[in-house]
Amino acid sequence: MKKVLITGGAGYIGSHIALALLDRDREVVVVDNLVNGSLQALARVETITGKKLFFYHGDIRSAADLDNIFRRHHIGEVIHMAGLKSVSESISRPDDYYQNNVVGTLNLLDSMRRARVRRLIFSSSATVYGPQPCCPVDESCPTGATTNPYGTTKLIAEHYLRELAAAEPQLAITALRYFNPIGAHESGLIGEDPCGIPTNLLPYIFQVAIGKLEHLCVYGTDYPTPDGTGVRDYIHIMDLAAGHLKALDNLQPGFRVYNLGTGKGYSVMEIINAVEKISGRQIKWQPRKRRKGDAAECYADPSLAQRELSWQAERCLEKMIADAWRWHSAYPQGYVKE
Ligand code: NAD
Ligand code: WQD
């Protein structure tokens, strides 16, 4: 059987997908430039699965790096996860985001064309929808009202892939729009390891729980939601990984797009309460004004993926937090920096 290439496979989501693929007896090749990934994550994936993967320290902006991999391995499918993902950083460094997320994607597709590899899963994001007037958000909701360069780069990459698939009918491309991935593999050996001070809710709360940060700032306590705080659709990382396996199984010529979410929203206060209950630690928090560009609520209608991919998220919020807590409490410093 041909191998699966994961770009960005040493990162948070990619390492969990590598694990799920190895567990399924697929051969995995990872390319990552390690700007935000860890070799230790991949070593632990090998320990957990008892299987080896192939790793290349390379950059998706380099045709030579990619061509080399396609020459050395018989790749059947690519899962394209490599990219930059910080909303705040994208506002101060938009050029880096366009280079990595847009130019990098074009470069990858060029290299795939030379290698005659025609099957691709693309990591997109619910951020392409921008703020929506109502929830749940389904795939027919309008896109384009992105509120930051990160979101715009994801949307541009989606447009490019859709138009390329229309022009080259042998291409089979699926874009997966993730809602809010959290949690960790249940071994507690791999998980999310953000650089510096996290901007996303869960990694921030866990740093408060382990005593690295003093308190959480809750951005907005006056939203029109039941307790006034923002509501999001948090999805367990292993459910997200399972969604990728189903998307691979169901890849067909053309371009498709699916939401990967649970369909259920939780507020910031509900998350704080759940982390306190599961960790036994108090989470100090302070109210702050709303964060610019944030929606009051955002949760998915995941029924298209259920119908067409036979996938649905199975793990509850308690499991997401318990698995993440196992990782953060065992490895408060994350991976050892290489
Ligand atoms: P991550 O930063 O942990 O992983 C991305 C990986 O890509 C890192 O290991 C990084 O070193 C690598 N990388 C970055 N630029 C590269 C380049 N030019 N060449 C090679 N490797 C490069 O992020 P993640 O949370 O695992 O996200 C993976 C993908 O999913 C990203 O494309 C992200 O935009 C998308 N996504 C993430 C979320 C989320 O909340 N985590 C939500 C929606 C979509
Ligand atoms: C969740 C809720 C905040 C931090 C972002 C990206 C999106 C996607 C996922 C990649 C909101 C509140 C947060 C804090 C808080 N990433 N919050 N205090 O904004 O839904 O989505 O990550 O594609 O593109 O925009 O996630 O975790 O930042 O916020 O009160 O310190 O927690 O206001 O209501 P978000 P988040």
Side-chain angles (χ1 to χ4, degrees):
M1 199 169 194
K2 293 179 187 174
K3 295 169 188 156
V4 182
L5 172 65
I6 310 179
T7 73
Y12 170 46
I13 303 175
S15 55
H16 288 79
I17 291 176
L19 189 157
L21 284 165
L22 290 174
D23 267 347
R24 258 258 205 121
D25 291 329
R26 293 297 309 264
E27 286 193 277
V28 173
V29 181
V30 166
V31 59
D32 199 300
N33 67 1
L34 300 179
V35 286
N36 201 34
S38 165
L39 287 181
Q40 222 180 336
L42 295 178
R44 290 188 188 173
V45 165
E46 292 187 331
T47 304
I48 296 163
T49 59
K51 292 173 187 155
K52 293 275 176 210
L53 50 74
F54 301 88
F55 174 73
Y56 289 83
H57 189 182
D59 199 299
I60 56 162
R61 291 165 295 178
S62 158
D65 286 358
L66 294 177
D67 288 348
N68 176 46
I69 294 169
F70 285 116
R71 242 191 330 267
R72 284 166 181 248
H73 298 274
H74 204 191
I75 304 289
E77 289 127 344
V78 178
I79 302 183
H80 177 31
M81 321 255 344
L84 303 179
K85 65 163 180 178
S86 159
V87 167
S88 54
E89 190 181 65
S90 78
I91 294 166
S92 55
R93 290 169 37 202
D95 46 340
D96 282 344
Y97 277 71
Y98 279 81
Q99 286 293 341
N100 280 276
N101 297 359
V102 178
V103 178
T105 300
L106 264 72
N107 197 41
L108 171 67
L109 270 292
D110 266 355
S111 200
M112 286 174 62
R113 184 184 295 112
R114 285 191 289 279
R116 297 189 170 76
V117 177
R118 299 187 168 108
R119 291 160 60 80
L120 176 83
I121 307 285
F122 173 62
S123 294
S124 189
S125 170
T127 198
V128 300
Y129 292 114
Q132 294 289 318
C134 60
C135 282
V137 178
D138 70 31
E139 292 82 351
S140 68
C141 286
T143 56
T146 51
T147 54
N148 55 75
Y150 165 70
T152 311
T153 61
K154 284 286 167 188
L155 189 59
I156 291 173
E158 268 198 24
H159 283 315
Y160 164 64
L161 294 171
R162 186 190 303 272
E163 287 165 1
L164 194 68
E168 299 181 21
Q170 65 279 42
L171 281 173
I173 301 180
T174 291
L176 299 175
R177 293 177 179 160
Y178 315 155
F179 279 65
N180 292 59
I182 63 166
H185 183 256
E186 61 182 10
S187 64
L189 288 173
I190 60 171
E192 187 168 12
D193 181 20
C195 272
I197 297 178
T199 51
N200 291 121
L201 180 65
L202 268 298
Y204 199 106
I205 293 191
F206 284 115
Q207 296 217 350
V208 176
I210 59 179
K212 278 172 84 177
L213 294 170
E214 181 61 28
H215 64 267
L216 171 76
C217 299
V218 174
Y219 298 126
T221 51
D222 58 351
Y223 280 114
T225 59
D227 63 22
T229 64
V231 167
R232 295 291 183 274
D233 185 339
Y234 299 95
I235 174 169
H236 194 295
I237 187 78
M238 295 311 297
D239 277 333
L240 196 79
H244 287 71
L245 267 51
K246 288 286 191 185
L248 275 184
D249 292 344
N250 290 283
L251 258 179
Q252 294 168 42
F255 178 84
R256 283 177 178 69
V257 58
Y258 297 99
N259 285 343
L260 293 187
T262 65
K264 183 164 170 41
Y266 288 96
S267 73
V268 175
M269 284 317 302
E270 287 176 304
I271 298 290
I272 293 174
N273 292 337
V275 174
E276 286 189 331
K277 187 170 149 222
I278 286 160
S279 68
R281 307 279 172 93
Q282 191 201 352
I283 306 298
K284 289 191 193 148
W285 64 274
Q286 294 179 359
R288 289 282 187 278
K289 64 179 194 322
R290 297 177 183 188
R291 205 169 54 175
K292 202 166 161 263
D294 267 3
E297 59 175 8
C298 179
Y299 55 91
D301 176 345
S303 57
L304 187 65
Q306 194 176 342
R307 280 198 309 279
E308 295 191 1
L309 304 179
S310 308
W311 170 87
Q312 68 181 52
E314 287 169 355
R315 293 158 177 90
C316 65
L317 182 69
E318 285 67 29
K319 168 94 175 136
M320 300 182 211
I321 291 178
D323 287 344
W325 178 239
R326 196 172 301 117
W327 151 253
H328 287 291
S329 53
Y331 299 99
Q333 306 304 330
Y335 298 114
V336 176
K337 303 299 170 236
E338 283 111 13

